[in-house]
Structure formats: structure tokens, C-alpha cells
Amino acid sequence: MKKLGVLLGVLIWASSAGWAEEIPTITAVMENGPSSNRINVVFLSEAYVASQRETYFNDVAIATEGLFNFTPFKEYKNYFNVYAIWVASQDSILAWVDRGEEPRTYFGHWGGLGSDGEKVEYTIENLLPAANSIVGVMLKNDDRVTASGSRKSTFVGSMTVGTGLLHHDPDYTNLQYTRAFVHEFGHAFGDLMDEYSGTLVLRSGQTERDFPVYGRPLINITTETRRDFVKWKHWIDDPAIPIPTPASDVYANRIGLFEGAFMFDKGWYRPKLDCAMRGAYNADYFGALPPFCEVCREALVLEIYRQVDPTAEIDLAVGDTTTVFSINPPQPADHNLKLQWLVDGQEVVGHSSPHLQISETGVGYGRHTVTVTIKDTTE
């Protein structure tokens, strides 16, 4: 791992006599391009005490490997950078059990939503000043082996979504850790909602319009049962698929409208029988995480392109009579992006190279317009 730069701001305070906090440092775990045009996943340590630095970086490595072995993040890995911010806390999360008071953690995040948001943002901005799109991931540590043990959670800005993780319990495997992390990342990055069932009950006449979830779009869940109004109807490719769709093996690999989502057994529907947004907490918890369904993958890929502009990295080399245009889009791992060059609105036929050379003799002296379009041909 490569150490980045010098701290640009002084982030230090003392919480009690005889103990002064460290200055946060940042480490590049994975870099695939400029932070100004990549999605920057930034892990922050919380409630890791000074002796647990190695534990923290091990947790970061496990989460990173798990995320980028999972579709669609595996295929779009080149669109992401990963950084780890390390700073020790004075206490682990369960220190309050010993002293009967709140643990002294760096970001004050031990209790869930009560973190010092300004301190989080100030830390990231000073250590990664050129970053554009940031997904913050707070790793919260408990150094005890306990059934109520450690929690790790992801957040974006002031939004926090948490998951109970017992990573330091010897019976809690890396597989369980990563399956929960990938699910939570789906929330934080893609605005995806939980698809697992629960004990909540819709009141008579309630619809999804009665559930404004902090302004988040309900991409992958709905109360709508009219086929032509289902928001993912473009994925329901067979008119013979019944709507709602029976939860049977016959339709297990098809997109439909399956009842049970958003912690409701009835009244809320999801696109597929199983999905990463359902399986992490609904299926056999010790098995492999189901893949994201087509509806969720579509939402994640679209969000990637909302955050990363594949046309941003363009360069010009101007000569006496020729000009070379070059573009360097981040390429997905499993397919190539399709490039198309146009000069004055006319396609340069048969030319899909990332470099285009234009000469005065070819187009004539004067003012001309060169356009490049990029198309992702994934289904």
C-alpha cells in the first residue's frame, strides 16, 4: 500500500489528561485514476485503539476484496479508488460497559447516527482534497468477543446505514462480514432498499407514497401491482409471468413482482425471488450472498456513470498541420466501451480507436467540431 502525501490540516485534540489523539493519516489501498473523476471509497477507523492498527487495515482489505469480487463492482473496478484513514480512538465501543459512560472515540460514531459529521467531512476533505465523489465507510470496532459485539457501518454524508457485524468473534467468518458489507454498500452507494421480509404491516390504503424515506428513491421495491405501472416493467420480459409473481422455483431466475420487502411480509414487492438486497439478512446467513438482481445492478451501473464521466480524460496534441485527439476512458473489466468519433457531425467510419488524427488537408482550413461519444454496451 502506498502512503499519500502530507496532512493538510491539523486534526488533533485531547479528551483526557495523559492521552492525546493521533493525527489522522491516509493510505491508498487501490488507485485506478484521478480522485476528481473516480468514486472514492474512504474507510475511516472508529473505536480502533492504537494497538489495533493492523486489525483495522486487515478489515479494510477484507471489505475491499469482498466488494470488488462482486458484480457489478468487479466489472467496474476501474471506476473506483479506495483509501483508508487511520486514527486511533481512546476506547473500543464497549468501554461504556466497564465505566458506565460513553466510549471516547475519534468521530463520536459509536452509537450509530451521532457522529461528528463536520469532523468526518473535515478529515476527508483535508486528506483527499481533490476528490469528487466520496462514499465514506465507517468501520466501527469492538475488541471483545461477544454476541452483541462489533458493528461496522457505511455512510454517505450524514446518512448512515448500519449492520451488526461480529468480525472479531472467531465464529464470524470473512464471508459473513463481506456479504453484510456488500449489502450495506448497496444502500449507501446505490440508494437500494432492503428486500427482505419482516413483521411490519401495511395499514389499509397505505402505498409507497406514504413512505418518504429521507427523499431516497424506492428503486427496487414497490407497492404497485398493476403490470403497466411497475417501475421495473422493462425487465419483465415475458407477458406470461404473473403479476404478482408466485415465490416458486419456476420463476426463481426471472424478474417479476415478488411479495415481501422493506421488512413487510405483505403489500411490498421486490423484483426477483432473491438478491443481495434480500439475501444478506433473509436467507441462510452462513451461505454465499446472492448476486444483485438485474434491477439493482442497473441502478448501481447508472449511479457509477452519474459519478464518473468516461469522457473527462481527454487530451489534445496540436501540430503544424495535424491535431491528435486522445481519450482515456476507464474500461470495464468484462467488455470494452464503444467509441464513436464525429467530425462536423459526420461519423469517422470504421474508427473506434481512442486516438483520432485530423489534418488540415483532410478537413480543410477553418473551424471544425470534433465529437466523441462513448457507449456502454452491457445488457
Side-chain angles (χ1 to χ4, degrees):
M1 290 185 285
K2 172 187 169 187
K3 210 62 151 180
L4 286 189
V6 178
L7 181 68
L8 299 181
V10 177
L11 304 170
I12 186 166
W13 55 282
S15 56
S16 63
W19 190 86
E21 292 189 344
E22 296 183 31
I23 295 176
T25 58
I26 189 167
T27 299
V29 178
M30 180 181 82
E31 287 187 310
N32 288 308
S35 61
S36 57
N37 192 44
R38 290 296 185 275
I39 298 151
N40 300 285
V41 181
V42 182
F43 290 91
L44 300 99
S45 60
E46 178 73 333
Y48 288 81
V49 297
S51 62
Q52 294 173 320
R53 187 178 187 277
E54 183 178 348
T55 298
Y56 165 68
F57 280 101
N58 184 60
D59 288 347
V60 169
I62 293 168
T64 300
E65 181 180 7
L67 182 66
F68 292 104
N69 278 330
F70 208 86
T71 296
F73 302 110
K74 174 173 64 176
E75 290 77 10
Y76 290 87
K77 183 177 180 179
N78 288 334
Y79 287 69
F80 289 83
N81 295 330
V82 177
Y83 301 95
I85 291 177
W86 162 256
V87 59
S89 292
Q90 187 169 358
D91 294 323
S92 68
I93 286 178
L94 289 189
W96 63 273
V97 174
D98 296 329
R99 298 197 314 271
E101 61 187 49
E102 293 186 3
R104 293 158 295 188
T105 63
Y106 189 82
F107 295 106
H109 197 274
W110 73 275
L113 296 173
S115 64
D116 186 339
E118 290 186 4
K119 196 172 188 180
V120 169
E121 291 180 12
Y122 180 74
T123 302
I124 294 175
E125 288 175 2
N126 277 274
L127 292 173
L128 202 60
N132 182 19
S133 173
I134 294 175
V135 181
V137 180
M138 188 77 75
L139 291 190
K140 295 192 289 184
N141 176 72
D142 165 35
D143 59 3
R144 300 185 179 196
V145 176
T146 171
S148 62
S150 78
R151 292 173 57 84
K152 303 195 167 68
S153 61
T154 57
F155 75 93
V156 177
S158 60
M159 181 190 75
T160 303
V161 287
T163 176
L165 293 175
L166 311 179
H167 191 46
H168 298 289
D169 186 321
D171 295 326
Y172 195 84
T173 66
N174 290 350
L175 175 62
Q176 292 167 266
Y177 176 36
T178 55
R179 66 179 285 159
F181 174 70
V182 169
H183 170 98
E184 297 299 330
F185 198 86
H187 283 305
F189 177 68
D191 268 332
L192 302 176
M193 306 303 293
D194 287 319
E195 295 181 12
Y196 50 85
S197 303
T199 59
L200 298 180
V201 178
L202 276 176
R203 295 197 302 269
S204 177
Q206 275 190 319
T207 70
E208 62 189 76
R209 288 181 291 276
D210 298 305
F211 291 83
V213 189
Y214 307 110
R216 298 170 69 190
L218 303 180
I219 298 169
N220 59 318
I221 60 172
T222 188
T223 59
E224 180 61 71
T225 57
R226 296 171 294 173
R227 180 186 292 268
D228 290 341
F229 292 88
V230 174
K231 60 190 71 174
W232 54 81
K233 65 180 182 180
H234 57 289
W235 282 106
I236 304 174
D237 57 2
D238 186 348
I241 293 177
I243 301 296
T245 311
S248 70
D249 290 343
V250 175
Y251 303 107
N253 295 316
R254 308 298 293 273
I255 296 295
L257 195 71
F258 295 87
E259 193 166 29
F262 204 33
M263 292 178 285
F264 289 79
D265 279 332
K266 303 290 183 182
W268 280 92
Y269 298 85
R270 62 190 189 277
K272 204 166 187 177
L273 191 60
D274 215 350
C275 171
M277 296 313 296
R278 176 175 175 84
Y281 302 108
N282 196 76
D284 173 11
Y285 197 76
F286 294 91
L289 184 67
F292 286 107
C293 71
E294 290 85 340
V295 173
C296 291
R297 291 205 306 269
E298 177 186 43
L300 292 169
V301 172
L302 289 174
E303 185 60 31
I304 288 170
Y305 279 117
R306 274 189 283 270
Q307 303 299 333
V308 178
D309 178 5
T311 68
E313 295 169 49
I314 195 163
D315 191 29
L316 294 178
V318 181
D320 292 336
T321 59
T322 63
T323 300
V324 178
F325 297 81
S326 299
I327 192 164
N328 184 34
Q331 291 288 349
D334 63 334
H335 62 282
N336 290 323
L337 300 178
K338 182 180 179 181
L339 275 68
Q340 182 183 66
W341 294 94
L342 299 94
V343 178
D344 296 333
Q346 299 297 312
E347 180 183 355
V348 182
V349 179
H351 190 87
S352 59
S353 166
H355 310 285
L356 176 68
Q357 180 173 304
I358 298 178
S359 65
E360 280 185 14
T361 56
V363 296
Y365 179 79
R367 188 179 185 89
H368 300 277
T369 300
V370 174
T371 306
V372 62
T373 64
I374 299 179
K375 182 178 181 180
D376 190 327
T377 57
T378 179
E379 295 179 0

